[in-house]
């Protein structure tokens, strides 16, 4: 009777790796409820605060109040995204070789919140000229840490939340955060800005954003993060940059997705000027800012549940296509109306479209490849979109100043249409390729 040959070293390594993967997945499932709740709480409070900063209302109106210049509004928003584009790939190199990424995420998260706190304190204690200069600097700092945090926290979520639940988690988290942010925005516009709370209603709003996001970050410490069975070897920043072309060559659809996402991000060239355009049509008061902010955030909120369900059911590619189409249509509507409530409907469409784009963008990138390369895929996506987010407001400021808001919005619609067509015809559904994280 022939005996089976003893297992080779390669067979033994494969067996141990399979056992480690099984244990890793079991640990994820064992801690799923706790980690789901921690991510939900962190997202609820963190996104509530950051939406006050990122909504196309408070910061643009504040910068315009300090400067009176559309170009400087664009420059300030560009500074935020220049910071993000400069740091995303560096953020990936900080965590690729680490079995646990949460400690670094907490450190970077506090740096990001320092930018929001600086924005508030500058408004309270500095004269207008210096408040403007420091606001641009703190927005750049905010973006710098945001670029790294986005990579780290998206990687963390991919480690602790299975793909089958990720769309609904992000949808419900954004839904809950949006409801809270809509209420806080209304309060910020009506009581803080209109009532000039503490002598500067905008600074008071940014201070509230800092407090909310700080509580949210603290709750993330409840996460139990598993250690993956494999990680990349530590590599230098320059070495990882040189590997990016090979990553894109290995998956051409990934490169085309980056193109679509970059085009959609360039469509944000009009975002800082939505509120200025509305002010030109109906006047810019604290109450108006509150109503339009609430419409934007409430629509972003209520549609997130739908976008999350649709992503889990049919994939994030479809969400990308439908949401970018909604965003472009709402921009067109903005050009056709000139009273408060129709403008609020247009802002609601903008919120719904941009919310779906953000959700699909952050989730679809997970599905394009293996776990070990995920931080770098996220980093390249963040770099591409952040560069376009930076270029967009500058271009938008020039077009708005030199030509008109109408020309700016028409250009934004054209860019969004290009993104939609690229995603529709040049990028396949990555979920159909097989098992993903």
């Amino acid at each position: 009777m022939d005996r089976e040959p003893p297992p080779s070293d390669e067979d033994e390594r494969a067996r141990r790796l399979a056992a480690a993967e099984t244990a890793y997945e079991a640990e994820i499932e064992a801690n799923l409820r706790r980690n789901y709740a921690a991510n939900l709480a962190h997202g609820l409070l963190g996104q509530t605060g950051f939406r006050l900063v990122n909504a196309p209302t408070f910061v643009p109106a504040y910068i315009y109040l300090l400067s009176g210049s559309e170009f400087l509004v664009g420059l300030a928003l560009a500074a935020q995204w220049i910071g993000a584009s400069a740091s995303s790939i560096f953020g990936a190199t900080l965590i690729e070789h680490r079995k646990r990424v949460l400690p670094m995420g907490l450190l970077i998260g506090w740096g990001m919140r320092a930018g929001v706190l600086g924005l508030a304190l500058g408004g309270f204690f500095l004269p207008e000229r210096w408040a403007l200069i420091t606001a641009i600097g703190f927005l750049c700092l905010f973006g710098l840490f945001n670029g790294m945090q986005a990579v780290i926290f998206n990687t963390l979520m991919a480690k602790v939340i299975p793909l089958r639940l990720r769309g609904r988690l992000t949808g419900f988290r954004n839904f809950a955060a949006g409801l809270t942010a809509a209420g806080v925005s209304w309060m910020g516009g009506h009581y803080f800005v209109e009532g000039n709370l503490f002598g500067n209603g905008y600074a008071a709003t940014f201070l509230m954003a800092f407090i909310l996001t700080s509580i949210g970050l603290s709750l993330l410490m409840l996460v139990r993060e598993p250690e993956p069975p494999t990680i990349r070897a530590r590599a230098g920043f320059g070495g990882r940059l040189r590997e990016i072309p090979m990553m894109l060559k290995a998956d051409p659809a990934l490169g085309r997705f980056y193109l679509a996402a970059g085009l959609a991000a360039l469509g944000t060239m009009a975002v800082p000027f939505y509120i200025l355009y509305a002010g030109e049509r109906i006047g810019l008061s604290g109450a108006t800012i509150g109503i339009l902010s609430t419409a934007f955030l409430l629509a972003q909120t209520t549609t997130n549940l739908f976008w999350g369900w649709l992503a889990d059911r049919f994939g994030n590619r479809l969400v990308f296509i439908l949401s970018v189409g909604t965003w472009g249509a709402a921009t067109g509507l903005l050009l056709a109306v000139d009273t408060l409530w129709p403008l609020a409907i247009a802002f609601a469409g903008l919120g719904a479209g941009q919310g779906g784009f953000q959700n699909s963008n952050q989730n679809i990138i997970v599905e394009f490849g293996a776990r070990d390369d995920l931080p770098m895929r996220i980093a390249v996506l963040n770099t591409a979109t952040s560069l376009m987010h930076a270029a967009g407001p500058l271009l938008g400021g020039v077009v708005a100043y030199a030509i008109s808001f109408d020309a700016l919005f028409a250009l934004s619609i054209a860019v969004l249409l290009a993104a939609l067509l690229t995603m529709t015809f040049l990028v396949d559904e990555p979920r159909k390729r097989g098992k993903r994280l």
Side-chain angles (χ1 to χ4, degrees):
M1 184 175 180
D2 295 333
R3 292 184 178 180
E4 293 184 5
S8 64
D9 290 344
E10 185 175 338
D11 290 338
E12 183 62 20
R13 282 195 297 268
R15 186 192 66 77
R16 289 180 179 177
L17 180 58
E21 287 284 355
T22 301
Y24 177 71
E25 292 176 5
E27 185 177 356
I28 292 174
E29 295 296 331
N31 293 315
L32 182 55
R33 289 193 177 189
R34 179 191 181 99
N35 289 338
Y36 194 101
N39 273 276
L40 184 60
H42 164 254
L44 169 62
L45 293 168
Q47 289 199 30
T48 296
F50 288 137
R51 286 183 189 206
L52 296 176
V53 178
N54 290 325
T57 48
F58 288 105
V59 168
Y62 176 58
I63 299 298
Y64 190 74
L65 177 69
L66 295 175
S67 68
S69 167
E70 291 91 349
F71 175 75
L72 286 178
V73 172
L75 177 64
L77 273 293
Q80 174 182 338
W81 294 109
I82 288 171
S85 67
S87 64
S88 293
I89 293 176
F90 178 70
T93 63
L94 284 177
I95 62 169
E96 284 183 313
H97 61 284
R98 300 177 189 272
K99 290 198 170 184
R100 296 186 185 274
V101 304
L102 180 57
M104 183 61 66
L106 293 171
L107 179 64
I108 298 301
W110 285 117
M112 184 178 175
R113 284 149 181 82
V116 181
L117 180 61
L119 192 63
L121 296 180
F124 281 129
F125 299 112
L126 295 177
E128 286 190 358
R129 180 183 177 186
W130 285 105
L132 174 63
I133 293 171
T134 56
I136 294 173
F138 280 119
L139 284 170
C140 184
L141 179 68
F142 173 77
L144 188 72
F145 283 101
N146 188 25
M148 292 184 279
Q149 179 184 269
V151 175
I152 295 169
F153 284 176
N154 284 344
T155 301
L156 177 65
M157 178 178 285
K159 289 182 69 177
V160 301
I161 305 297
L163 179 60
R164 70 179 190 275
L165 297 174
R166 213 168 294 149
R168 276 167 286 183
L169 171 60
T170 54
F172 185 70
R173 183 185 65 181
N174 293 342
F175 169 78
L179 278 180
T180 309
V184 173
S185 292
W186 180 84
M187 184 172 66
H190 189 74
Y191 292 107
F192 290 15
V193 176
E194 193 77 12
N196 200 32
L197 185 68
F198 303 139
N200 190 321
Y202 288 104
T205 302
F206 302 142
L207 181 61
M208 175 174 282
F210 168 75
I211 293 169
L212 291 172
T213 57
S214 297
I215 297 171
L217 183 64
S218 300
L219 290 173
L220 201 64
M221 289 189 289
L222 297 173
V223 165
R224 288 179 177 168
E225 180 186 0
E227 293 188 1
T230 60
I231 54 173
R232 288 188 61 92
R234 186 167 192 168
F237 180 74
R240 290 298 281 137
L241 281 178
R242 290 189 291 271
E243 292 177 13
I244 291 173
M246 292 185 289
M247 181 178 74
L248 298 178
K249 185 177 180 181
D251 188 351
L254 175 61
R256 293 192 288 267
F257 164 68
Y258 286 144
L259 173 62
L263 286 168
L266 184 59
T268 61
M269 68 177 73
V271 168
F273 306 99
Y274 294 150
I275 192 65
L276 303 185
Y277 174 81
E280 213 178 61
R281 291 295 180 96
I282 61 173
L284 196 60
S285 67
T288 299
I289 293 172
I291 290 170
L292 296 182
S293 296
T294 302
F296 180 90
L297 293 168
L298 199 59
Q300 198 175 51
T301 294
T302 54
T303 56
N304 269 318
L305 290 177
F306 170 72
W307 295 133
W309 171 83
L310 194 67
D312 285 344
R313 181 71 178 83
F314 298 103
N316 287 289
R317 176 178 171 273
L318 179 61
V319 174
F320 184 106
I321 292 167
L322 293 178
S323 60
V324 169
T326 301
W327 179 2
T331 306
L333 176 61
L334 199 63
L335 289 169
V337 297
D338 57 5
T339 55
L340 177 59
W341 293 111
L343 280 169
I345 293 172
F347 268 71
L350 295 168
Q354 290 178 42
F357 165 66
Q358 291 163 5
N359 277 0
S360 61
N361 224 29
Q362 103 182 25
N363 285 325
I364 196 172
I365 192 62
V366 176
E367 303 173 18
F368 270 99
R371 178 178 59 227
D372 290 358
D373 290 320
L374 177 60
M376 186 54 67
R377 291 202 308 276
I378 296 173
V380 173
L381 174 63
N382 287 356
T383 299
T385 55
S386 295
L387 283 172
M388 294 300 99
H389 278 303
L394 287 175
L395 176 61
V398 170
V399 173
Y401 178 79
I403 307 176
S404 67
F405 284 126
D406 288 7
L408 169 60
F409 293 164
L411 181 58
S412 176
I413 292 170
V415 171
L416 292 172
L417 179 61
L420 188 154
L421 294 175
T422 300
M423 194 70 168
T424 302
F425 296 108
L426 298 179
V427 181
D428 63 327
E429 171 53 65
R431 189 170 297 189
K432 294 180 180 179
R433 299 177 178 187
K435 184 179 178 182
R436 289 293 180 260
L437 289 174

